[in-house]
Amino acid sequence: MSQLDDVQQLARRVSRITMSMTVKISQRARELQGEGKKIINMGAGELDFDTPEYIQLGAIKGILEGHTRYTNVGGSAALISAVQNKFLTENCLTYTKEQITTGTGAKQLLFNALMATLNEGDEAIIPAPYWVSYPDMVKLADGTPVIVETSANSHYKITPEMLRKALTAQTKWLIINSPGNPTGAIYSVAELRALAQVLADFPQVLVLSDDIYEPLTYDTSFVSFAQAVPELFARTLTLNGVSKGYAMTGWRIGYAAGPVWLINAMEKLQAQSTSNPSSISQIAALTALRGDQSFLDGWREVLVERRDQACAILSTSELLRLQKPEGAFYIFVDCKAALGKQTPENVTLGDDLDIAQYLIEYAGVAVVPGSAFGAPGHFRIAFSIASEDVTTACEAIVAQMELLR
Ligand code: PLP
């Protein structure tokens, strides 16, 4: 079959979405590594720590005890109960068991939620920079992403004025991600309440509060949207999971809580697609949630050290601007001052993709171009790699920037 025929076989929805740029960068990093070059990958979205041993052992015990069969579509009663308790004790949020569901990562739950609610013409407001998957998932679900550009002036957060301008009669969702990927910015209670005030005039709008980086906050405290704004509890979907906070990206467990009508619809979709998330991973997740959380203090200490070290080094470059992230494990670097400059090989850097390319080829550091997050003129680095590598990579980035004319 020719190439054209292959494409004709595809559903139209596939052509609406793009291949993740983060995947492309990782691919190039692997190619260069294959050629024997040392590449430090600051492109990945996961911690370098191992899943804590108590969680690993919990999962092994679960297998030996025979927790290897189908569970309820939305997760076992034990996991739902552990999630319910987590929301109550850590977020002061009281959910009934019927208001909670689990899935194969927060990603699947987000997908379920959008698929369950969006019709053609419905809009989802997504502040940029955003996590790469939001707009494509909205498109897959037949909706229209409404991207609201933010800037360093508002610490890359959407303001009430920006929100008011973006809202229409077609708005179905506002997506809030705090601490945010890629900026690490955290919304304060006052900021969330100010956004909610604007939403009061738009009763059809649902709020998706993506709290996946909750455990990884440093000097600023985190408050979930529904906790900050109890008035909008009934139209908020609180999304979380064990991937980022427990170094469990591969286990694929996310959880969500919200109105029963929405949770039921999400489970209906899950029942006809993947069914329950892995029973063994469910045991691991409930072990994680129920266990002693004190290991997180040690992790946060290491991450703060890496963050501060990276920020200190990168700030020495006149071509780079950055804000210290308050949470997550990314630094979002403004590199607009480097645009239009020439490399020692006389190549002009036209955009952030050129800069990412320049850094991977010559500094040996893989970063993700800001365009992937809807914010051209930036790049994202993840400091969730060995501390020595953070230092080496940031020094290499700065040295490479100095060579530009
Ligand atoms: N939300 C944000 C903001 C993320 O960065 C990610 C992963 O990168 C996810 C959700 C998905 O997490 P999970 O591994 O639970 O699917």
Side-chain angles (χ1 to χ4, degrees):
M1 206 181 264
S2 74
Q3 183 107 27
L4 185 65
D5 289 337
D6 283 355
V7 172
Q8 281 170 343
Q9 296 294 320
L10 295 173
R12 277 188 295 278
R13 74 177 70 87
V14 177
S15 64
R16 280 184 229 147
I17 58 169
T18 49
M19 179 72 171
S20 153
M21 233 186 269
T22 45
V23 172
K24 277 191 208 158
I25 291 286
S26 298
Q27 226 161 310
R28 183 67 188 136
R30 275 192 296 274
E31 272 168 26
L32 288 169
Q33 279 160 342
E35 291 167 18
K37 298 213 170 95
K38 176 159 168 58
I39 301 293
I40 300 179
N41 187 1
M42 297 193 107
E46 60 188 346
L47 288 173
D48 58 324
F49 307 139
D50 287 331
T51 301
E53 197 178 27
Y54 80 93
I55 301 172
Q56 298 180 20
L57 294 174
I60 292 167
K61 187 160 166 275
I63 296 174
L64 295 174
E65 286 175 356
H67 292 284
T68 51
R69 301 182 194 283
Y70 291 132
T71 68
N72 294 338
V73 168
S76 70
L79 178 57
I80 297 291
S81 173
V83 171
Q84 187 183 33
N85 186 57
K86 184 267 170 211
F87 278 128
L88 185 63
T89 54
E90 290 180 19
N91 309 106
C92 301
L93 289 172
T94 306
Y95 287 110
T96 64
K97 294 196 167 60
E98 294 68 38
Q99 288 179 298
I100 298 171
T101 191
T102 72
T104 303
K107 201 170 199 171
Q108 185 188 19
L109 294 166
L110 176 69
F111 188 72
N112 290 347
L114 296 173
M115 289 293 280
T117 50
L118 291 174
N119 287 312
E120 213 169 303
D122 288 343
E123 297 171 355
I125 296 178
I126 304 172
Y130 47 69
W131 176 41
V132 290
S133 292
Y134 296 139
D136 279 342
M137 277 204 205
V138 169
K139 287 186 208 161
L140 271 180
D142 291 338
T144 306
V146 175
I147 308 299
V148 175
E149 263 181 51
T150 69
S151 70
N153 294 337
S154 66
H155 301 280
Y156 298 107
K157 291 183 269 193
I158 188 171
T159 63
E161 296 71 39
M162 293 175 194
L163 176 60
R164 192 172 286 284
K165 270 197 212 145
L167 282 159
T168 71
Q170 282 69 50
T171 309
K172 197 76 178 260
W173 283 101
L174 164 65
I175 300 184
I176 293 290
N177 174 215
S178 168
N181 174 7
T183 66
I186 295 179
Y187 284 79
S188 69
V189 173
E191 286 165 342
L192 295 176
R193 292 200 59 77
L195 294 176
Q197 235 168 10
V198 180
L199 292 178
D201 297 335
F202 294 82
Q204 86 282 7
V205 178
L206 299 162
V207 178
L208 192 132
S209 177
D210 182 345
D211 302 353
I212 192 95
Y213 292 97
E214 173 184 8
L216 305 175
T217 59
Y218 309 117
D219 3 64
T220 314
S221 56
F222 160 87
V223 180
S224 189
F225 187 87
Q227 185 188 359
V229 189
E231 302 92 313
L232 296 193
F233 178 80
R235 46 180 170 127
T236 301
L237 182 70
T238 306
L239 185 67
N240 211 323
V242 294
S243 283
K244 311 290 177 172
Y246 297 89
M248 290 177 69
T249 42
W251 297 82
R252 312 302 306 127
I253 295 289
Y255 53 88
V260 173
W261 64 266
L262 176 57
I263 297 296
N264 285 347
M266 288 164 65
E267 289 190 355
K268 194 170 168 188
L269 281 167
Q270 191 158 296
Q272 296 295 22
S273 50
T274 58
S275 286
N276 64 269
S278 153
S279 60
I280 298 152
S281 297
Q282 287 189 53
I283 300 277
L286 86 86
T287 310
L289 293 174
R290 281 187 187 157
D292 180 0
Q293 311 285 304
S294 56
F295 70 93
L296 271 168
D297 294 332
W299 284 12
R300 280 189 286 253
E301 225 169 89
V302 173
L303 289 168
V304 164
E305 230 170 79
R306 289 177 186 171
R307 175 198 66 171
D308 291 349
Q309 174 77 346
C311 287
I313 298 170
L314 293 173
S315 317
T316 61
S317 169
E318 282 182 3
L319 299 180
L320 305 177
R321 287 212 171 78
L322 48 114
Q323 297 188 347
K324 216 180 234 195
E326 299 166 311
F329 40 71
Y330 310 107
I331 301 173
F332 202 53
V333 183
D334 180 332
C335 56
K336 288 191 206 89
L339 297 179
K341 300 253 177 212
Q342 288 212 319
T343 70
E345 291 73 28
N346 291 326
V347 177
T348 304
L349 298 177
D351 57 24
D352 51 295
L353 273 86
D354 289 346
I355 292 181
Q357 181 105 9
Y358 174 61
L359 291 177
I360 196 170
E361 306 289 338
Y362 297 100
V365 183
V367 305
V368 187
S371 304
F373 311 97
H378 297 77
F379 62 81
R380 186 194 78 176
I381 61 161
F383 53 88
S384 51
I385 56 171
S387 305
E388 321 77 81
D389 285 346
V390 170
T391 306
T392 310
C394 291
E395 284 173 351
I397 291 172
V398 169
Q400 213 57 44
M401 286 290 150
E402 239 137 66
L403 297 179
L404 296 175
R405 285 170 291 122

